[in-house]
Amino acid sequence: MVRFLFQSVISVVVTVFLVSILLFFMLDPSDGEILVKILGIESTPAQRESLARQLGLEIPVLQRYADWMIGNDFRARRLIGQDITQLNNPSSGDLEWWIDQGEGRYVQYQLGEGGELSVLVRNEDGTYTAEPAGDVWWEEDGKEVFWGIDDEGRAAKWIKGEGAIAYVSTQTGWQEIPGAPVQYIPLVKGVLRGDGGVSLRTNRPISNTIPTRAANTFILAGAAFIFVMPLALLFGIIAGINEGKLIDRTISIFGLIGTSTPEFVTGLILIFIFAIQLRWLPALAIDTAGGGLTVRLLTLPVLTLTAVELGYVIRMTRASMVDVMKAPYIRTAIIKGMPFRRVVFRHAVRNALMAPITIIMLHINYFIGGIVVVEILFGYPGLGDYIYKSAIFGDVYGLGASAIVTVLVAISTRLIGDLVYTFINPRIRYS
Amino acid sequence: MNMDKKFEQPVLKLEDVAITYKVRNGEIDAVQNVSFEIFKGESHGIVGESGCGKSTVAWAIVNFLGANGYVKSGSIKFQGQELVNKSDEELRRLRGDQIAMVYQDPMQALNPSLRLGDQMKEVLTVHRGMSESEAEDRCVDMLSRVYMPDPENVIKRFPHQISGGQQQRVVIAMALLNNPALLIMDEPTTALDVTVEAAVLDLIAELRRDFDTAIMYISHNLGVVARVCTQVGVMYAGEMVERAPVRDLYADPKHPYTQGLLRCVPKLGGDKASSQLYPIRGRVPPPNNRPSGCVYGPRCDYARQRCLDERPEVRQMPDGTSVRCHFAEEIDPAAWIPPEDIKLTPATEDVTKNEPILIIKDLKKYYDVAGSSLKDILGLGEKRKVKAVENASFEVPRGSTLGIVGESGCGKSTLVKTIIGLENATAGQAEFNVEDVTFDVTSSLSGRDKKLIQELQMVFQNPDSTMNPSYTVGQQIGRPMERFGTVPPDQIRSEVVRLLEAMRLGENYFDRLPRQLSGGEKQRVGIARALASRPELVLCDEPVSALDVSVQAAILNLLIEIQREFGTTLLFIAHDLSVVRFFSDFVAVMYLGQVMEFGPAEEIYQLPYHPYTEALLSAVPIPDPSVTQKRIRLEGNVPSAISPPSGCRFHTRCPRRKLMPDGGKKCETELPPWREFNNGHRIFCHLPKETLESFDPVISKAAEPAAD
Amino acid sequence: MAATQASSPVQSRGAKLLSSIQSYIALIFTSRIATIGLAIVLFWVVVGLISLVWTPVDPNASDFRPNQPMSAENWLGTDRLGRDNLSRVMAGTQVILLKTRVPALPLSGYFTGLAGLIGIVLIIRAIPMLEEPNQRLKGWGNLIVGIALIPVVIFLNGLLGLQAIVLPNFVLPLGVALWGVIGSLSLGTVLGLLAGYKGGWYDQIIMQILDALIAFPRIVLYLVVITALGQGDLIMIFAIAVTGAPGVARLARSQALDIKTRDYIRAAETRGESIWFIMFREIWPNAIGPLLVDSMLRVGYAIFTIGTLGFLGRGLPPPEPDWGNMINVARPSFGTVPVSVLAPAVAIGSLVVGLNLFVDGLNEEITRYQK
Amino acid sequence: MLVKDCMTRHPIMIAPETLANEAQQIMTTNRVRHLPVVGDGKRLKGLVTAKSFALKSDSISSLNVWEISRRLANLRVKDVMVKKIDILTASANMTVERAAVMLNEARQSALVVLENPDIVVGILTEVDIMNALQLMLGLPTEGIRVTIRMPNRKGEFQKINDFLNDKDWCVMGIGTYPSPRVEGDFYDMVLKLPDTTIEEVREGLGKIEDHQIIDIRDVV
């Protein structure tokens, strides 16, 4: 047991490490393509360069990877020389970084028009009041520099008199802001500490988005799971004990067709029948009326997922049941004169469920793939949809964080499967 | 009860039963015209080689032939009631209640995920409607009845938590719970070690008397059948060719097949010279291609034209034996002359005095055991070792045969693997001398000289896995020649053919694939492959234990012949003491990694014995009911090799320990000394020489049959 | 004499192959399911072959009547750009099953790739050698050569001006799905056999990495790879090969674990055969059967995947029509012209189902045959 | 001798649903006169004896020939068997003589032997008791069967015993009973002696005081 848990932990570490490295380096946004996606093709090189600096893309990739994994607040804290902390902004619900000067005084800095640094003191309601900062500069390499947190919550380095020009997109268009910081560190606590940073695509903190998305997906997947499991096990057992008979053939073939038809094909056919032809159910699972997720909305997506998973689980259960029914101990039970029902339920089912449980749990990855397709097909605002959009956009932070979530889900389901397996298999439990 | 059978009706009566399996193209008659009956309290043996339909008959009785098998004709009557075509519900009631069954592999027969108690209890709760607690009491009673230690605890365990011998006891106890009228046992001891087997056989004989149960005992082992059965039926190719009381069958076999079978088995009872083996020529016909006349006709030494034309009927002989042979009266087994080609040339020289080719000194092999605590995983815990081989030392003279015997787990295979290099020795020296070159054999395979690799070759146990299914016979025998360059490439084919002929296989085998060969043929090819690099030493790992007796005899004879012809030295592992005796010049007896006794073969089987050898000899089933064996049974299980007993490793089970002057204290603490006897015979025991010499011989031929 | 010696095993091997093929064909037809599956697959193969030479209309030609429903003229209607759906569905089999488009690459790219491959093989070969005392020297040699090979070739490429020589676009036979599976089969088999046969640390490390790959949601992997590297046939093949390899490796490993306990492996070891001989000459021929059956299933999965990615807008690149892509493009007008969506959907569905039916039936017959 | 030692173990049993015809056939082919009727787990339900098949006149008087045969063809064992409450039962640990008394008193020919409460372990019929008698008198073995008449007083058996001891003879069977049709208090004793001759026995036992050999023969 100890060995097993130890191996699982190692497996999690290795997997998360490999996945994150792979994602980070494959989707490395420093080549600037992402800037075009954010700013549009009409943007000027100067604007792109400014954005790249604001996003911290000019930081070397290894440093950026380390920041993203374990955070950079401690690095910033050292540069700033003051304590920094994350506070909730009541109006947006997002967490923002502030310098904590003690006694409930939290500040950010902003360089005014005249090159004067002003300090922004946070009020209770999340807004701030600007005050002159006074002389906070210190000497470095013959220049007067200052590290602080700017009004966007990034660690920033100002150099007196050498303000760079920052381009900021506002409602009225692009604004040129002179005297902007020359170096930025977008503050992040790191994925391993539960903070994935700010999404490049939405410019919102990822740790705010993912929970709601994941909850939606959980509802969808959970509904499918609750639907699939009992049905599939039942059909699998029925087919398994009637091996070769008509009922087995029927169940097996339908299972096979279900699991080998791609989700989008099943989904499209279901939409065609129930939404377009019969007009019973909506073709999209988007909550337009504001009534929340209803059974009506969820029916088609759940059915689509069910079709694929049901077939798979049935086939696994059936195969295992067929094997078990041929085992010598089943023969023993029959020769002992046990009634058939008792043979099946007492002697066969428990042994037959051992093998599929682990296999089914391993299948979670295909299931996640299915969820992505189904969410996109039905426009369902879940994690799958988020993963897809992040991937297409090249939002390495959003994709990375959500991918790690799915990896954790995959590994923990596998772990649960293994644990359940050890629990129902006395040969492992008692050795 | 000594009641005359004339007044009694058989518990089971089979009349002219034919069993057929439907296959893809047509039907296969697995069993034809089998008739026999079993009376109350009788144990009826069914012997025969694999594939002769023994088990099929058993499955037919409980009507469990699978989806494609059925009883084509004939009747199976259980206590006068016809079982064929009985309804499922009626059969279900009989099964487990009146008819019970015990199978070959107890581990497979028990449900791995249910506690033993639950599996036993349901026989009572389902059939008799007993309450759980009552049923549990009865299960405990029955377990203690089959001498299961600590039965209250055992019923709470799972099958994998008890040993194979104990599992078989549980299965037997489960079968007896409802006091069945008929107990079918299908090779119940085949998977067990010989000492465990002996104990289970004792138990079976005892239970038969106590419960008055009719037993149908299926086995391929003539020795086992001789020990437990009162009546024996011999099956061959789906037919029962002879049926007789056990004593008559072994003393005066009527059917040529029975005679042939008995000539194939080495016997411990007689002296070594009389244990010459004579294999039966040809092979068992497959069920879909059986001869139209006598099924045994093509292999029979006495076959005449009538045998090939006309199928013999079962005939009753004057002494009550029934035989399926046209000429049973005319055949006199005593007048049988062995065919010329089987007769072995006697050894021309005494090889036991040759200079040693292999010298093993204090060879040790320990394995690390993977611990399961966190400490062990991180490599911090104390490393525990399985001491698979401990201080083995012996010499093998050139051209001789050393037999290594012992029960499973005694380290005999590990020893051989270490010698050939599949495992690295932990300590010790092993030297191999050839052409004035000496090699150290304790190095790993990759560190070995190519010449040494070539000189040591191996013959394996399992005929089905000894050959790579993807290559032809010729390719596989040719490969060592190619690799070691012993034969120029253009002569490989002719050399392979020459070897094939030496194995009594023709050139037409060259292009055959393994799946086209029988078990015996595969084993011959395996031997040919081992010989292809012209090695000096061939190690044989139980080369015949997976084969039927008639094939086994042929392979053993072949090995001897090869040794005479090529002068090869053989190291021969076996668990069967009678085979080793027949085959070896020297014998080493191993127990729990330790060599317990070493010496010339004849000396091992005579006084003085090591107490363990004595127990082994007493347990060997001998296919001759007229031989009596001293009854010595070992108690308990073989201890774990991770923490072997201190002092003498055998002391925990030694039946002779109490003969020690101090009652055996010394055995627990000190390693025993080697006691030397004649001709290099050594015994690893604390008992003084005089005590060892004062034992009675284990095996004695009874002067006359004891009263029944 | 020598001639006959040489020829007879060859003949027998040919005859062996023929008879085993015959028996397999017989096996397929004994199963009704396998026969139906094979018929569906063959149907699409034939359709694809026909589409290579003839389609009702040029699949990429537009007749400027977009989104037409089914009609006598366009049996399956037309798509958003007015292209004939029937022709496009027919031609859609090509990229999946029949041809792989290799884009223009400089010759140096091929050389470097080849050198890299050889280098990797040398490094893999070197590792077991390092363990064996009498081969250690050779092992180090291999390792150094293997590592050095790649920069050397890159340098030579530059020197020889191979950068400048650009091979034009060309087409390989067999489709993306098939090449992808061949890729995962080769990669997975090598890793699996190595892990299974060598055991110990090899097994630990290889399986740990493969397990990580298995735990990685494959859809994410596909999306990332394609987003990062761009759409293309070779990239799709790469993605399919990488995601499929762990599964193949697991199977190959379990096969190797099973086969390595056989006595003929002991026999080879006692002959002092090298690990590569044992892995590829002794184990591989006996492990390949189940692996091949499994890869046929994988072809189904690969088609499934290509379709899904096409549907997500990340499928095979134009101009050749791709079923998944067709669905993606036609989806906005699903309500009005369902046939544009349903036709390719049914095509993908039936092809995958057909393959699965075929393999399933075949598998069942094989296992029954073994009994 | 206890019931368990002389009963017939594993008697042939049938299920209540068996056709009466079949039961009758089983009885004839196996030459038994009693069939315990049992449910699952050998639990006693009834007993079929030869008499069970005798037709009860009241039940058939109103039927014609065809109806009778049809009715008979469909008759099940449970319709004709002796019900459980009417069956004589015994436990395996009862003595034989007690069982014989039970059979005698009830005027029946068989006892069903049961264990925890109603599972059939055997059947004890008159024939079994006869067999027990045979065994007690050492029937199956060859030897000299001698009947000695002796007075009913202490020490008489001791004399025979001493004599047997002297001769080192063994006894295969022994039985005593009050002498029938004799005046006075005498007991007859039957002894079965193997490995000896009539002459030797007569020579030895005949010489004992007050004892009289009234029958001697060489039998199997």
Side-chain angles (χ1 to χ4, degrees), chain B residues 40 81 127 178-179 210, chain D residues 9-10 13 40 42-43:
Chain B
K40 215 174 280 180
Q81 304 179 58
H127 283 293
N178 269 341
N179 189 12
D210 280 12
Chain D
R9 291 195 194 191
H10 306 298
M13 296 177 248
D40 197 3
K42 292 184 276 205
R43 273 174 288 183

Side-chain angles (χ1 to χ4, degrees), chain A residues 19 256 260 315 365 388 391-392, chain C residues 214 216-217 227 312 352 357 360:
Chain A
V19 167
L256 182 89
S260 54
R315 286 169 61 74
N365 262 314
Y388 171 69
I392 299 293
Chain C
I214 286 180
F216 197 112
T227 307
L312 296 176
V352 181
L357 285 175
D360 204 52

Side-chain angles (χ1 to χ4, degrees), chain C residues 134-179:
Chain C
N134 52 359
Q135 287 188 320
R136 198 159 282 162
L137 208 66
K138 210 167 141 194
W140 279 112
N142 271 357
L143 197 65
I144 293 163
V145 172
I147 294 169
L149 206 53
I150 303 162
V152 168
V153 171
I154 291 173
F155 175 71
L156 281 180
N157 278 339
L159 210 69
L160 297 175
L162 290 173
Q163 296 276 15
I165 307 172
V166 176
L167 246 60
N169 285 330
F170 65 97
V171 167
L172 283 176
L174 297 188
V176 172
L178 297 173
W179 279 115

Side-chain angles (χ1 to χ4, degrees), chain B residues 404-461:
Chain B
I404 303 176
V405 281
E407 295 178 283
S408 53
C410 72
K412 53 189 194 298
S413 293
T414 311
L415 177 61
V416 165
K417 278 185 189 160
T418 314
I419 293 170
I420 201 156
L422 290 171
E423 305 275 359
N424 284 351
T426 311
Q429 292 107 45
E431 276 166 24
F432 181 75
N433 308 312
V434 56
E435 292 164 14
D436 304 324
V437 192
T438 301
F439 297 103
D440 183 15
V441 186
T442 46
S443 56
S444 73
L445 255 178
S446 55
R448 285 188 179 189
D449 195 286
K450 201 168 173 184
K451 175 77 179 157
L452 176 61
I453 291 176
Q454 179 202 327
E455 294 290 0
L456 298 181
Q457 285 298 312
M458 192 153 173
V459 177
F460 299 91
Q461 174 176 9

Side-chain angles (χ1 to χ4, degrees), chain C residues 69-108:
Chain C
M70 293 192 274
S71 66
E73 214 172 310
N74 303 104
W75 287 6
L76 295 177
T78 61
D79 72 355
R80 203 176 53 155
L81 298 175
R83 294 174 295 195
D84 179 42
N85 279 331
L86 176 63
S87 308
R88 289 180 67 76
V89 168
M90 283 176 71
T93 41
Q94 292 175 12
V95 277
I96 292 175
L97 293 176
L98 300 175
K99 66 178 192 188
T100 298
R101 297 154 295 169
V102 182
L105 279 180
L107 195 57
S108 59

